[in-house]
Amino acid sequence: MSDLPPSVLPVRLPVWLSWCEPVLTRLLAWRYFRFATVGASGTVVNIAVLYVMQEWVLFAVISNPDLRLSVALACAIALATVNNFAWNSVWTWADRLQAGDAPRLGTDMATGKRLFKYTLSCWLGMLIQYSLTLLLADHMYYLVANLLSIVLASVSNFLANDKWTFRRTSADDQA
């Protein structure tokens, strides 16, 4: 279960938080928890972009509120997907990307291929998130609807990426 080396956290903790490092290290050794942590960062990106696009950027450009929400949501999902791919590459599934000479994240063909696979594997989750957000936005505040939709879509995203995008491969497959 533990494929994360001891005492490896994605960030350096301040001294006053060093007491919780052992607990965090154990939690982060579980791949789904790392995936969920990355997903939480993607959620922050998603909601921030959605809010800025909906309330500021597109407000003066698109007067139809439904169309404005659709465009803002598409932008938010796209940027959050790129954020999540980068963090999942360098942290969540880093152990699977160590083999070979290819970098975990770069401008090479292997990274482009993984990004393509990652995007495809997330489409089901994106579709779930997008549809549920629009459906639930009729009954609740759109940011709450979006947050609930993200949580529901995360399970399909993890399974697809674990089994396909970042699966363990032979050295021949990584080229």
Side-chain angles (χ1 to χ4, degrees):
M1 177 183 250
S2 178
D3 37 73
L4 187 69
S7 300
V8 174
L9 297 175
V11 293
R12 188 162 190 77
L13 294 176
V15 174
W16 60 275
L17 278 179
S18 62
W19 62 269
C20 67
E21 186 172 342
V23 173
L24 286 173
T25 299
R26 282 175 100 38
L27 281 173
L28 295 174
W30 186 35
R31 191 180 309 276
Y32 188 81
F33 192 83
R34 284 182 275 158
F35 178 79
T37 303
V38 168
S41 80
T43 300
V44 170
V45 170
N46 185 300
I47 289 179
V49 170
L50 177 61
Y51 181 79
V52 168
M53 295 295 288
Q54 174 77 356
E55 303 295 335
W56 296 83
V57 175
L58 298 175
F59 190 77
V61 180
I62 302 173
S63 59
N64 181 321
D66 293 332
L67 178 59
R68 185 171 61 243
L69 178 58
S70 295
V71 172
L73 189 55
C75 292
I77 291 169
L79 287 174
T81 300
V82 171
N83 171 80
N84 289 3
F85 171 75
W87 280 108
N88 280 320
S89 293
V90 300
W91 188 43
T92 307
W93 282 283
D95 60 311
R96 294 187 184 174
L97 301 176
Q98 292 295 333
D101 295 330
R104 290 181 285 185
L105 190 63
T107 56
D108 60 297
M109 185 63 90
T111 301
K113 183 177 173 182
R114 267 194 321 279
L115 177 59
F116 182 74
K117 288 170 73 173
Y118 183 85
T119 303
L120 284 179
S121 67
C122 289
W123 269 103
L124 176 60
M126 288 181 205
L127 219 67
I128 291 168
Q129 178 196 346
Y130 188 84
S131 302
L132 277 176
T133 299
L134 293 178
L135 179 71
L136 294 174
D138 289 339
H139 307 286
M140 62 183 68
Y141 187 56
Y142 72 94
L143 292 177
V144 174
N146 190 45
L147 186 61
L148 287 172
S149 301
I150 289 168
V151 169
L152 292 173
S154 73
V155 174
S156 69
N157 282 345
F158 176 78
L159 292 173
N161 284 298
D162 191 56
K163 301 299 180 201
W164 187 45
T165 307
F166 296 102
R167 73 179 173 10
R168 291 195 189 279
T169 60
S170 67
D172 296 336
D173 266 349
Q174 295 197 4

